[in-house]
Amino acid sequence: MTPPATTAPATLLVDGTWRAAAESYRRTDPTAPERETGRYASATPADVADAYAAAARAQPAWAGTAATERGELLRWAADLLEARADEATEALIADVGKAHRDARGEVLRGAAILRFHAGAVLQASGGTFSGADPSTLLMSITEPVGVVGAITPWNFPVAIPLWKIAPALVYGNAVVWKPAEAASGSAVLVARLLADAGLPAGVLNLVTGSGRALSEALTQAPELDALTFTGSVGVGQRLRLAVAGREHPAKLGLELGGKNPAVVLADADLPDAAEQIARGAMLQAGQRCTATSRVYVQDEVHDQFLELLVERVRAFTVGDPRDPATDIGPLASAEQRDTVGGYLALARDGDATVACGGGISDGATGFWVEPTVLTDVPDDSPLVRKEIFGPVLCVARVSGFDEALRRANDTPFGLSSAVFTRDLATAMRFATGTRSGLVHVNRETAGVEPHLPFGGLKDSSSTDREQGMAARDFVTHTKTVYVRPR
Ligand code: NAD
């Protein structure tokens, strides 16, 4: 099913029909901001209300289909995504300027996410119990929560929506999805793909448009049972308050920002640590919630490590994201360029010493930024405290493990962290002492597998985990059943 060609873009999928809106917005190419990449309908609150009503109508019949059938549909969607991988890769590059290798990798990961959940739905759930009455069978069963709202960011335009939508659908829920405006092209492609795979009308609804303008409609719909959000801490906090103020409760899952530390100890394999940390900080132009943004290096090896790191960072090719040889494309948008540019100005104005990089384009010819390594940054500088979401890494000197762990943990965030050491006992001390939801030993802080739980501590997440079997908990509820046969 393809959105019909009209002058007004019909990018809202509501109750199985593609519809336009009175207002629309345009997106432009991050490598050439004068080039339009697409126009998209600006959904109104009434469109969102229609989408929720359609989801609520469609959900019971969808939950009534066999789990094997729902899984098969996701498998078919995975096949379709692979068959359309070139188109999806191009949509993703046009949306956010992601380097070809990463864009294609994300598309294939999207297919892997769909396949994981297709199989996961047949795993055991619930349980049986013994109790006070031998003639009564006691059990708990899982059921779909009902209608799931999903609000997604732009930095993984295919993977993040799919790791929310796939488990919601496979466990029998209906979904209303509001993607980031910058990821609109990829979102239309993903919604079309799932419709083409055979999803019944109303089971997945797509509303493109401004999150702020649609916020009340997205959070206050009476049909909403669970809202899952990935994005910035600020918007996450607003959503927490909005959902708390609802008349009828709804579940809320938040995946927010990071300021992820890596610790390099004196016994580490330094060239390998430099390679891992350079990749973790700079690939995808640092626009990953799990990107490495602070490094604490033991005094004895600090200078040697810094030299290796700077050499490796300078070797990255920054350029045209459509060229398969490019390592790092532009930042995703003018807003991103302005934000990252502000932090680089702070560094130049005395908050740091620039070990390499620091340059940023004026924005007229694309949103390019040089991978940047900073030293001598005070611990209270915004460069150390705030999520920059760009290819900017702060390196600091520490006396040893205890100071490194203390400073690594000195942040409101707690998404991912890494330690570089050859000593297993030290690695385990770090793994248990670090205040983050993900820990890597001798690996970059970014990079996750779809079958493992994912999420952070402190301000980085609510307590729920996404991905893997953990994803089931959010999109299902537990019903307790007492059976006394007669
Ligand atoms: P954002 O918070 O600006 O926007 C995310 C989504 O929320 C978008 O769809 C946006 O339209 C919508 N939105 C904005 N204001 C809203 C409102 N008032 N009510 C409802 N929806 C609203 O984030 P972004 O710039 O798209 O993404 C970057 C952020 O996402 C970074 O902070 C990054 O760390 C975070 N992120 C976190 C994870 C994770 O899993 N922890 C993964 C990727 C990105």
Side-chain angles (χ1 to χ4, degrees), residues 6 80-82 92 95-96 132 137-139 144 168 172 199 202 221-222 243 255 325 334 354 397 401 405 410:
T6 57
L80 282 180
L81 183 55
E82 282 170 350
L92 218 151
D95 273 348
V96 295
L137 175 64
L138 309 177
M139 56 187 154
L199 266 190
V243 171
E255 287 298 339
V354 180
R397 190 188 291 271
F401 179 89
L405 182 63
D410 181 17

Side-chain angles (χ1 to χ4, degrees), residues 218-244:
L218 286 165
T219 58
Q220 303 304 314
E223 298 90 347
L224 176 69
D225 295 301
L227 182 67
T228 170
F229 169 80
T230 296
S232 59
V233 169
V235 174
Q237 277 164 348
R238 278 199 283 282
L239 293 179
R240 190 178 291 136
L241 295 176
V243 171

Side-chain angles (χ1 to χ4, degrees), residues 238-259:
R238 278 199 283 282
L239 293 179
R240 190 178 291 136
L241 295 176
V243 171
R246 283 171 56 87
E247 193 180 340
H248 304 292
K251 281 175 134 178
L252 178 65
L254 302 173
E255 287 298 339
L256 309 172
K259 189 70 189 174

Side-chain angles (χ1 to χ4, degrees), residues 84-466:
R84 298 176 192 176
D86 289 346
E87 187 195 347
T89 302
E90 178 46 43
L92 218 151
I93 296 173
D95 273 348
V96 295
K98 195 172 284 209
H100 187 278
R101 199 183 308 137
D102 293 326
R104 196 170 178 87
E106 182 179 339
V107 168
L108 298 181
R109 184 166 153 208
I113 290 167
L114 286 162
R115 288 210 177 89
F116 172 81
H117 292 289
V121 73
L122 298 182
Q123 296 297 308
S125 64
T128 57
F129 303 81
S130 304
D133 175 3
S135 71
T136 299
L137 175 64
L138 309 177
M139 56 187 154
S140 66
I141 58 174
T142 52
E143 292 186 336
V145 284
V147 172
V148 175
I151 304 177
T152 54
W154 48 262
N155 67 325
F156 286 95
V158 171
I160 290 181
L162 283 179
W163 82 50
K164 293 179 184 301
I165 293 170
L169 294 180
V170 89
Y171 293 107
N173 300 282
V175 175
V176 174
W177 173 26
K178 210 303 282 173
E181 286 149 287
S184 299
S186 312
V188 171
L189 184 138
V190 167
R192 179 158 51 88
L193 179 102
L194 286 160
D196 289 352
L199 266 190
V203 172
L204 173 68
N205 303 273
L206 174 71
V207 284
T208 51
S210 150
R212 193 174 305 171
L214 301 176
S215 195
E216 190 173 344
L218 286 165
T219 58
Q220 303 304 314
E223 298 90 347
L224 176 69
D225 295 301
L227 182 67
T228 170
F229 169 80
T230 296
S232 59
V233 169
V235 174
Q237 277 164 348
R238 278 199 283 282
L239 293 179
R240 190 178 291 136
L241 295 176
V243 171
R246 283 171 56 87
E247 193 180 340
H248 304 292
K251 281 175 134 178
L252 178 65
L254 302 173
E255 287 298 339
L256 309 172
K259 189 70 189 174
N260 310 295
V263 166
V264 180
L265 297 170
D267 69 341
D269 177 340
L270 293 185
D272 181 66
E275 171 71 24
Q276 289 287 320
I277 289 172
R279 294 174 63 82
M282 306 303 173
L283 292 185
Q284 302 194 36
Q287 299 169 123
R288 296 186 284 185
C289 52
T290 49
T292 312
S293 56
R294 301 175 288 139
V295 191
Y296 298 100
V297 192
Q298 197 163 353
D299 194 26
E300 297 92 300
V301 295
H302 174 275
D303 295 353
Q304 191 191 347
F305 172 78
L306 185 62
E307 202 175 304
L308 287 164
L309 178 70
V310 165
E311 190 186 337
R312 179 62 190 91
V313 167
R314 286 200 172 120
F316 282 128
T317 312
V318 180
D320 178 2
R322 292 176 178 85
D323 181 346
T326 292
D327 295 313
I328 301 171
L331 295 170
S333 63
E335 298 78 36
Q336 271 292 100
R337 198 219 75 91
D338 292 348
T339 307
V340 176
Y343 284 109
L344 291 178
L346 195 65
R348 280 194 303 273
D349 292 349
D351 253 24
T353 302
V354 180
C356 70
I360 189 157
S361 64
D362 63 11
T365 53
F367 311 126
W368 312 98
V369 56
E370 285 176 348
T372 300
V373 176
L374 304 174
T375 60
D376 306 317
V377 195
D379 275 355
D380 61 356
S381 165
L383 295 163
V384 171
R385 306 300 304 172
K386 302 281 187 196
E387 181 184 50
I388 298 174
F389 224 52
V392 181
L393 180 62
C394 299
V395 180
R397 190 188 291 271
V398 290
S399 58
F401 179 89
D402 291 339
E403 184 189 349
L405 182 63
R406 179 178 55 73
R407 288 172 71 182
N409 281 340
D410 181 17
T411 170
F413 296 103
L415 190 52
S416 187
S417 62
V419 66
F420 292 84
T421 176
R422 288 189 168 96
D423 183 67
L424 184 57
T426 307
M428 287 313 296
R429 262 179 82 203
F430 184 84
T432 51
T434 185
R435 295 281 295 136
S436 64
L438 308 163
V439 193
H440 295 265
V441 176
N442 297 320
R443 284 167 49 96
E444 56 171 293
T445 52
V448 298
E449 301 217 18
H451 57 293
L452 270 79
F454 174 89
L457 303 180
K458 300 195 273 185
D459 290 359
S460 288
S461 299
S462 57
T463 50
D464 292 287
R465 289 291 176 261
E466 297 197 294

